[in-house]
Amino acid sequence: MMSIQAAYRPTLDELHNATLVGKNTHSLTRNQDPESGIMNGILKFGWIKGVLIRCLLNIWGVMLFLRLSWVVGQAGIVEGFVLILTTTAVTTITALSMSAISTNGVIKGGGTYYMISRSLGPEFGGSIGLIFSLANAVACAMYVVGFCESMLAMMTSFEWSIVDGGVQDVRIIGCVTILLLLIIVVVGMEWEAKAQIGLLIILLVAIADFVIGSFIGPKSDLEMAKGFLGYNATLFKNNMFADYRPEKGGIHHDFFSVFAIFFPAATGILAGANISGDLKDPQKSIPKGTILAIIITTGTYLIMVLQCGATVARDATGNLTDVVNGSYSFLDCQPGECAYGLQNSFQVIELVSGFGPLIYAGCFAATLSSALASLVSAPKVFQALCKDELYPKIVWFAKGYGKNNEPVRGYVLTFIIASAFILIGELNLIAPLISNFFLAAYMLINFSTFHASLAKPVGWRPTFKYYNMWLSLLGAALCVAVMFLISWATALITFAVVLALYLIVAYRKPDVNWGSTTQAQTYKNALMSVQQLNNVEEHVKNYRPQILVLSGLPNTRPVLVDLAYMLTKNLSLLVCGHVVRGSSSQKYRTYLQERAANWFRKHRVKGFYALVDGEDFESGTRALMQASGIGKLKPNIILMGYKTDWQTCEHKELEQYFNVMHKALDMYLSVAILRVPQGLDCSQLLGSQDGWQTVADVPRTLQPNESSNDLQAADSSVRNGLGGSIDSLSRNVSQEDRNRNELLHSEQNSLKIVKSSSTSDLSFIAGNQSKDVSGMPDPLDAKSANLVTNSLRKSKLKHDDPASLYKGPGGVELPKEVLTDLTQFTRKRSHAVIDVWWLYDDGGLTLLLPYIISTRRTWQSCKLRVYALANKKAELEFEQRSMASLLSKFRIDYSDLTLIPDITKKPLETSTQFFNELIKDFVVADKENENGNSSRATLNEDDALITDDDLLAVQDKTNRYLRLREYLREQSTKSDLVVMTLPMPRKNIVSAPLYMAWLESLSRDMPPFLFVRGNQTSVLTFYS
């Protein structure tokens, strides 16, 4: 039964499999947020006390009393309205965007940082969170200094002073004030809220004092002489339009410069959102309180613009004589010569007010309330940032105290920063930077809403409907425009800081998964790209080797995966296929997928892992070849390891291995087979640094009467008994003893070869960068992924250090020669040699793959030697030139070109004896049975046998491959890699053991050997 109070949600295993007993205690509890953990804070503020009052106090600042009248004098009433409405448009659009985000799910502590990081991801969220916290800390200092200057002005009027009546007094008053504010917020948010209410009352009384004073009119001749005439139609008309004037410092003002000065008066809309963790219902409180605060403050600004424009002249001399005489000559003065009026005095609001000292109180309330809001906002945002550990060395500040989880350490840090800036003074220079930091936050809030609407993830369902994605984009653009209007230099600095902090988080790759719209957009982009790719016609110039490598788990055959990745790196698709015999539980499949993903991450391999259940290897591989990939992103090459135990394995296994090649060719897939001298299977050789056990030790399915936790219990029980030994180097090597004493005398095997060099020999300049790999192990399960990712990030080991990459059982060091074998395709090669035996025209794949290897940095200095078969011995030189011309047209750099003229010559007796020894266990004699039929008809049940007829039918081919073996042993035994065209396994002509005997003859006792067979489709072209 569905209930919000349900203790836990049962797993699918528990519901689907009736035989499971016990309950999964690790299931997700319905009333618990897995991201935030236990909520131990008491949320106590409603929308009025928590959001509306804070926003009103933060938006109404010093500008209201000291700069608004000057804006009217410069811009006039009309442009003043335009200016205020423009700033309101920016803040309103931002508020609408913020409302959409805040109503799209539960909002936790962290306000602006929380919303941006959960929408756009940790990179943007972290960078904005850090600079927003710093901006609030410095803004706190700015507001305190504003309070000090107002206090100093009042003290000067009474001729009071502490030290010098100047900057020293400001520092003393400022430090005492910030200390008192710190005490208020440390005592508790409830006291801070009470202080905010008191300050709001003072501020409202001061505004009411101004409004009432404008209706009372001038209370003395002196006020009239200073330009306050009361409501006057002529004055209203004169002040209607702009009159921009230069300041004494030579600064020429226009609409945009005045806009830049006024805009900070409209900021502060995030004051409520920043304490989102202390709100009863952030989803309702933030939109309602913020939007209403913008409406109230905008209305206040517009009304005060009208009152200032209708009651105060732009210029006034302050001459009492003219007033007494009844003359208006006191209004006639040249610009710059008058000391009073809208243009010249910042004390106009006090002049108009009914009781002047109340305006001072209003100034104090505005500055102290803004300082208090900033002092609370900075630590709250910073604490949420520290909890997520996006940046190093800051988690210490995440600790909270008391029932409300107060960030006391953050308060002290903010106090220190603010005090430092108060003591420094010179805040005028940093003020534009602070405004730009706030605007950067506004910009990303708007962009978050736009991006979410654009990506349209299913989880984007805000209950606030009064937003528009294009309006949000316009808001983001307006924020950027305003940033550059305020100061293009500080705008550039802001973008540089955001970018630097973004790159730090991107580099650290924090292990967080917040379901950001960036993730949604990545999926959407990938889907659209794959769909567009379906409409692109294939062309030989755009051919890419897309490889399905039958590696099993990547960590069991790392050499095979390394070769495949060397061919596909930054070029094409790599899929590691794994066939699991029998059916597997989903838990086991997830375990394998996590293990493969972590191996990819540790080794810096960009590939995919495909896992299928199958009755056997053949059926599973068929499924992989048919189902892997999507659209045009499908493998066109299958890469397998060489089956070294083909002589001793069960005949059924050999047939399945052989049939996989047939199926691949039936599907027009190219086939590649890799053989290395030490074998490919490292599952017994390699141990685990982190408790991973071998795959064979992990329970693959849930048995009856087992709970879904039993798999993990079994996992942990086998960690102490890791199998394998570093002394055992028999990694799936052939069971037959290798006869390394076989000698082929040169006088018996005279080779008539012709060599030449291409006009563009390969450079011997070595690349200087190895493949980056991480040095730490994979996590055992998803729950430990965080710890492992952090350890990867903090690891001091070099990524290209094989000793840190590979460990033996129990974490012991592996011998140097073993590490050399394991990294043969990833380590830097100096003057390596790749021999390419291009025997048949398969479309050019045999030539293309070694060329790709030669372009990789680790193999960049290698020499490419090409061997080909000559058709006619008499025309050897002509064929030599033709082949050289062909390679030149293909733009393939090579160092040597060798043609083999006498491939049809009979092989040596030792070669024939070697071959017969390989197949002796599979050969049966042809005898007539009693029905008169050949025994071949009775052998259909076991195709892994060879009759005399089979040998006779392919005698010429066998001789050719034995001759090639002789050439190979003479030419390529010292090479670093041999690439040869794979013999074609013709259906119903060649049996599995005979075919494997051919491959064994060619590759036995050779360096790493890669057989390649293209699908007869061209992969090389002459044309540009």
Side-chain angles (χ1 to χ4, degrees):
M1 184 175 179
M2 181 72 176
S3 171
I4 198 68
Q5 284 84 23
Y8 74 99
R9 179 184 294 125
T11 65
L12 188 59
D13 282 336
E14 292 168 351
L15 289 174
H16 190 221
N17 191 346
T19 61
L20 291 178
V21 295
K23 296 297 182 183
N24 186 358
T25 57
H26 298 290
S27 298
L28 177 66
T29 305
R30 282 226 178 95
N31 55 6
Q32 177 182 343
D33 183 358
E35 187 176 84
S36 64
I38 300 173
M39 291 162 46
N40 54 5
I42 300 175
L43 312 179
K44 52 187 178 183
F45 295 136
W47 71 273
I48 295 178
K49 188 185 291 187
V51 182
L52 178 64
I53 291 177
R54 291 175 185 278
C55 288
L56 287 175
L57 286 170
N58 226 24
I59 296 172
W60 280 331
V62 183
M63 291 289 179
L64 180 69
F65 298 104
L66 300 183
R67 289 292 184 274
L68 188 63
S69 58
W70 175 83
V71 168
V72 178
Q74 290 280 356
I77 296 172
V78 173
E79 290 192 23
F81 265 50
V82 173
L83 187 146
I84 291 170
L85 292 175
T86 304
T87 59
T88 302
V90 175
T91 54
T92 303
I93 293 172
T94 305
L96 294 176
S97 299
M98 183 172 65
S99 300
I101 298 174
S102 62
T103 58
N104 189 53
V106 178
I107 297 294
K108 300 299 178 186
T112 309
Y113 159 72
Y114 187 92
M115 287 187 281
I116 294 177
S117 62
R118 269 52 174 184
S119 296
L120 288 180
E123 295 86 1
F124 279 118
S127 57
I128 284 299
L130 206 55
I131 68 169
F132 193 76
S133 301
L134 178 63
N136 271 295
V138 180
C140 179
M142 289 176 56
Y143 294 132
V144 170
V145 169
F147 164 76
C148 295
E149 290 178 348
S150 299
M151 177 71 75
L152 207 60
M154 187 180 75
M155 290 169 62
T156 303
S157 65
F158 292 102
E159 296 182 354
W160 295 347
S161 68
I162 300 174
V163 178
D164 61 354
V167 67
Q168 296 297 342
D169 284 10
V170 168
R171 289 170 177 167
I172 294 170
I173 297 170
C175 288
V176 172
T177 305
I178 192 79
L179 183 62
L180 292 174
L181 294 178
L182 175 69
I183 293 171
I184 291 174
V185 296
V186 169
V187 166
M189 289 290 288
E190 191 63 42
W191 283 95
E192 186 263 349
K194 291 177 180 177
Q196 293 279 31
I197 293 175
L199 292 172
L200 178 65
I201 292 172
I202 296 172
L203 197 55
L204 290 174
V205 170
I207 294 173
D209 179 37
F210 168 79
V211 174
I212 294 170
S214 69
F215 287 104
I216 294 175
K219 297 176 289 298
S220 67
D221 291 342
L222 180 61
E223 288 187 356
M224 182 173 284
K226 289 182 178 180
F228 178 35
L229 306 180
Y231 286 99
N232 187 299
T234 305
L235 196 60
F236 186 82
K237 184 178 178 181
N238 290 338
N239 290 336
M240 185 67 70
F241 300 104
D243 181 19
Y244 297 110
R245 301 178 188 174
E247 286 189 359
K248 293 179 181 178
I251 301 173
H252 293 274
H253 285 294
D254 56 16
F255 177 84
F256 295 112
S257 65
V258 175
F259 178 86
I261 291 171
F262 175 76
F263 187 82
T267 59
I269 61 170
L270 298 179
N274 286 334
I275 62 159
S276 55
D278 295 298
L279 300 176
K280 288 180 182 176
D281 188 358
Q283 288 181 276
K284 292 181 179 178
S285 300
I286 292 174
K288 191 187 298 184
T290 306
I291 294 173
L292 186 58
I294 291 174
I295 293 172
I296 292 173
T297 53
T298 303
T300 306
Y301 284 141
L302 293 176
I303 291 172
M304 292 181 73
V305 165
L306 286 173
Q307 291 180 321
C308 286
T311 59
V312 184
R314 276 195 168 105
D315 298 292
T317 61
N319 191 334
L320 278 173
T321 306
D322 293 335
V323 177
V324 172
N325 294 335
S327 167
Y328 283 92
S329 299
F330 63 89
L331 299 179
D332 298 329
C333 66
Q334 295 298 318
E337 296 179 359
C338 297
Y340 302 100
L342 295 173
Q343 290 273 23
N344 310 301
S345 173
F346 293 148
Q347 305 298 323
V348 168
I349 303 296
E350 181 193 0
L351 178 68
V352 175
S353 63
F355 182 63
L358 276 179
I359 300 301
Y360 279 117
C363 279
F364 299 159
T367 51
L368 289 178
S369 63
S370 297
L372 205 53
S374 297
L375 187 58
V376 170
S377 296
K380 292 281 186 182
V381 174
F382 190 60
Q383 182 186 36
L385 177 66
C386 294
K387 283 182 179 178
D388 291 332
E389 297 185 53
L390 299 186
Y391 295 100
K393 314 295 183 187
I394 62 171
V395 69
W396 187 77
F397 291 99
K399 181 175 175 59
Y401 295 87
K403 61 182 181 180
N404 282 335
N405 199 32
E406 295 290 344
V408 176
R409 295 174 178 177
Y411 289 144
V412 175
L413 178 65
T414 306
F415 166 76
I416 293 171
I417 294 173
S419 299
F421 278 97
I422 289 170
L423 294 175
I424 290 171
E426 295 302 324
L427 291 177
N428 290 336
L429 297 177
I430 206 168
L433 188 61
I434 302 305
S435 296
N436 270 326
F437 279 1
F438 285 129
L439 279 166
Y442 295 175
M443 174 191 70
L444 283 182
I445 288 174
N446 283 306
F447 186 74
S448 298
T449 303
F450 166 75
H451 198 266
S453 303
L454 182 68
K456 292 181 181 175
V458 179
W460 176 247
R461 300 187 299 274
T463 56
F464 184 85
K465 301 299 182 184
Y466 305 102
Y467 75 96
N468 180 273
M469 62 180 291
W470 301 112
L471 196 62
S472 296
L473 181 62
L474 175 64
L478 283 174
C479 289
V480 175
V482 174
M483 288 173 71
F484 281 94
L485 285 176
I486 291 176
S487 170
W488 64 268
T490 51
L492 292 177
I493 293 173
T494 303
F495 281 116
V497 171
V498 172
L499 179 62
L501 295 173
Y502 177 97
L503 292 176
I504 291 172
V505 179
Y507 174 77
R508 285 169 54 81
K509 292 184 175 62
D511 191 50
V512 294
N513 182 15
W514 294 330
S516 66
T517 57
T518 310
Q519 295 171 309
Q521 189 63 38
T522 301
Y523 174 87
K524 188 175 180 180
N525 291 342
L527 183 63
M528 291 177 63
S529 297
V530 173
Q531 290 170 340
Q532 289 171 356
L533 190 61
N534 275 344
N535 300 325
V536 176
E537 294 185 12
E538 294 180 356
H539 193 281
V540 62
K541 288 195 296 184
N542 294 325
Y543 174 82
R544 294 172 183 268
Q546 303 185 111
I547 299 179
L548 168 62
V549 51
L550 301 182
S551 62
L553 267 179
N555 60 294
T556 59
R557 292 174 181 82
V559 177
L560 189 64
V561 180
D562 285 339
L563 173 68
Y565 186 56
M566 188 160 58
L567 294 168
T568 62
K569 184 178 180 181
N570 299 328
L571 187 68
S572 56
L573 175 71
L574 171 63
V575 179
C576 290
H578 187 188
V579 178
V580 179
R581 296 183 182 179
S583 60
S584 303
S585 69
Q586 184 58 36
K587 192 175 186 67
Y588 179 69
R589 294 170 65 88
T590 303
Y591 163 82
L592 293 179
Q593 287 164 352
E594 289 174 357
R595 192 167 175 185
N598 280 282
W599 189 92
F600 284 147
R601 183 163 52 246
K602 183 173 74 170
H603 290 250
R604 303 289 175 89
V605 171
K606 295 177 182 176
F608 300 92
Y609 173 73
L611 173 65
V612 297
D613 297 338
E615 294 297 324
D616 50 40
F617 172 73
E618 182 181 349
S619 62
T621 306
R622 283 172 180 260
L624 277 174
M625 290 189 289
Q626 292 170 347
S628 293
I630 181 172
K632 294 288 179 69
L633 288 178
K634 294 180 72 72
N636 52 25
I637 299 175
I638 182 170
L639 174 62
M640 302 188 293
Y642 181 77
K643 190 169 181 62
T644 51
D645 64 344
W646 64 274
Q647 292 174 285
T648 57
C649 69
E650 293 184 7
H651 288 181
K652 182 180 179 182
E653 289 184 16
L654 179 57
E655 280 298 317
Q656 289 181 354
Y657 182 83
F658 190 54
N659 289 339
V660 166
M661 281 187 267
H662 281 309
K663 182 61 180 177
L665 294 170
D666 286 342
M667 295 178 60
Y668 291 0
L669 292 177
S670 302
V671 178
I673 299 175
L674 176 67
R675 181 177 190 176
V676 294
Q678 299 81 15
L680 291 168
D681 190 354
C682 303
S683 55
Q684 297 302 315
L685 175 72
L686 295 178
S688 171
Q689 303 176 58
D690 56 347
W692 280 115
Q693 57 273 19
T694 57
V695 179
D697 295 329
V698 182
R700 196 170 27 129
T701 57
L702 288 171
Q703 303 301 324
N705 299 322
E706 286 184 342
S707 73
S708 56
N709 288 325
D710 291 338
L711 180 61
Q712 284 185 338
D715 288 351
S716 60
S717 68
V718 298
R719 285 182 211 162
N720 298 325
L722 289 171
S725 167
I726 62 170
D727 297 323
S728 173
L729 300 183
S730 57
R731 286 175 275 165
N732 200 23
V733 296
S734 173
Q735 301 300 314
E736 181 177 335
D737 292 335
R738 300 188 177 174
N739 182 13
R740 294 188 180 272
N741 297 321
E742 179 185 355
L743 298 176
L744 296 178
H745 301 290
S746 59
E747 60 270 14
Q748 293 176 312
N749 187 28
S750 55
L751 298 178
K752 298 176 182 178
I753 56 180
V754 182
K755 295 188 177 182
S756 69
S757 295
S758 70
T759 55
S760 54
D761 285 345
L762 288 178
S763 169
F764 286 90
I765 299 175
N768 56 5
Q769 183 173 338
S770 299
K771 183 164 84 78
D772 286 339
V773 286
S774 175
M776 291 299 288
D778 311 321
L780 179 63
D781 53 35
K783 293 183 180 180
S784 64
N786 295 352
L787 298 175
V788 172
T789 305
N790 289 337
S791 63
L792 278 170
R793 191 167 61 220
K794 297 172 185 175
S795 174
K796 301 295 183 184
L797 296 172
K798 290 184 178 180
H799 292 308
D800 58 355
D801 181 14
S804 64
L805 200 59
Y806 297 106
K807 297 286 186 182
V812 299
E813 296 288 337
L814 290 171
K816 187 176 181 180
E817 58 273 13
V818 176
L819 291 174
T820 302
D821 291 338
L822 289 171
T823 58
Q824 56 188 295
F825 291 119
T826 57
R827 72 174 186 273
K828 181 98 178 100
R829 295 297 188 117
S830 178
H831 309 306
V833 176
I834 301 178
D835 285 351
V836 183
W837 292 75
W838 192 18
L839 306 181
Y840 312 104
D841 180 14
D842 61 350
L845 189 65
T846 308
L847 198 58
L848 180 63
L849 295 188
Y851 171 74
I852 293 173
I853 293 173
S854 72
T855 63
R856 301 306 185 190
R857 291 187 178 182
T858 49
W859 288 68
Q860 202 167 17
S861 61
C862 72
K863 293 167 62 178
L864 212 62
R865 302 193 305 192
V866 180
Y867 297 85
L869 299 180
N871 294 323
K872 297 179 181 179
K873 188 173 181 180
E875 300 179 0
L876 196 59
E877 292 186 7
F878 174 76
E879 290 193 15
Q880 164 78 26
R881 289 195 299 271
S882 299
M883 180 59 71
S885 174
L886 185 67
L887 293 175
S888 177
K889 289 180 179 178
F890 283 148
R891 303 173 301 285
I892 301 292
D893 268 340
Y894 62 93
S895 59
D896 290 308
L897 173 60
T898 304
L899 289 188
I900 311 289
D902 51 356
I903 193 65
T904 56
K905 184 179 176 181
K906 188 177 180 181
L908 298 174
E909 185 62 30
T910 52
S911 300
T912 305
Q913 291 175 359
F914 167 78
F915 184 77
N916 291 334
E917 187 68 23
L918 288 178
I919 63 173
K920 67 177 183 180
D921 293 335
F922 297 93
V923 175
V924 294
D926 281 337
K927 295 181 179 179
E928 298 294 327
N929 60 20
E930 56 189 26
N931 293 329
N933 296 325
S934 66
S935 63
R936 187 63 181 163
T938 65
L939 296 174
N940 288 336
E941 296 179 1
D942 190 355
D943 291 333
L945 293 173
I946 306 171
T947 66
D948 292 338
D949 289 343
D950 293 337
L951 287 173
L952 191 60
V954 294
Q955 185 64 49
D956 290 342
K957 287 183 178 293
T958 302
N959 290 340
R960 183 183 304 168
Y961 295 131
L962 292 178
R963 281 290 290 157
L964 279 172
R965 167 181 166 78
E966 295 166 6
Y967 279 107
L968 278 164
R969 290 180 62 77
E970 181 167 302
Q971 297 290 314
S972 298
T973 52
K974 299 294 181 67
S975 301
D976 295 275
L977 176 65
V978 180
V979 182
M980 176 179 275
T981 307
L982 179 74
M984 178 59 70
R986 294 183 182 273
K987 288 183 178 180
N988 304 320
I989 302 295
V990 184
S991 62
L994 182 55
Y995 185 78
M996 294 304 296
W998 287 351
L999 301 188
E1000 185 76 24
S1001 301
L1002 294 168
S1003 59
R1004 170 77 72 89
D1005 298 334
M1006 294 295 293
F1009 207 104
L1010 179 65
F1011 291 103
V1012 178
R1013 189 78 198 199
N1015 62 358
Q1016 303 303 113
T1017 301
S1018 294
V1019 298
L1020 297 171
T1021 180
F1022 298 159
Y1023 307 107
S1024 61

